Amino acid sequence: MIRPSPRRRIGVLLAVMLLAGLGWFFWPFVSGPDQMQTFCSSLEAGASFDQVKAQTAQQGYRVSSLVEGRAFVHDSGSFGRFTCNLEFGSDGLVSAAYSFND
């Protein structure tokens, strides 16, 4: 039985690492839309900004500052391509709409 050379082993290892790195980089673009849509639909009307902020942190998303009753949630892994636009009123969250930024 012929034993693979060290050069071949290194080549195979580098190829596997490259494929794993590419998969890790592109995964948020594959799974992001469904995850963000699910997150947006899970937000309850009337929730305070602090409650939404806590849910956002649990999911690993980021939320913008509340400006004039509006904010947005985004996934930094997808560079803000998938967002959830939030609108708040005097009684808390009024609407949460998924948005695809292309």
Side-chain angles (χ1 to χ4, degrees):
M1 186 161 138
I2 299 174
R3 199 171 150 182
S5 69
R7 181 178 234 168
R8 177 138 173 100
R9 286 183 188 175
I10 290 172
V12 169
L13 179 65
L14 288 175
V16 168
M17 288 173 51
L18 176 67
L19 289 174
L22 286 172
W24 177 78
F25 178 78
F26 284 109
W27 181 249
F29 296 101
V30 174
S31 65
D34 292 336
Q35 290 177 350
M36 186 59 76
Q37 284 177 339
T38 302
F39 175 75
C40 277
S41 63
S42 73
L43 296 174
E44 295 182 17
S48 70
F49 181 70
D50 290 334
Q51 290 172 328
V52 172
K53 198 173 182 179
Q55 285 180 307
T56 301
Q58 282 180 336
Q59 295 295 323
Y61 296 142
R62 293 185 180 178
V63 65
S64 69
S65 300
L66 186 61
V67 177
E68 297 179 5
R70 295 176 189 257
F72 68 93
V73 175
H74 68 95
D75 181 10
S76 61
S78 66
F79 305 105
R81 178 164 271 192
F82 315 113
T83 62
C84 183
N85 297 320
L86 309 173
E87 188 173 338
F88 289 88
S90 59
D91 295 334
L93 184 65
V94 175
S95 69
Y98 168 76
S99 176
F100 174 71
N101 299 316
D102 191 22

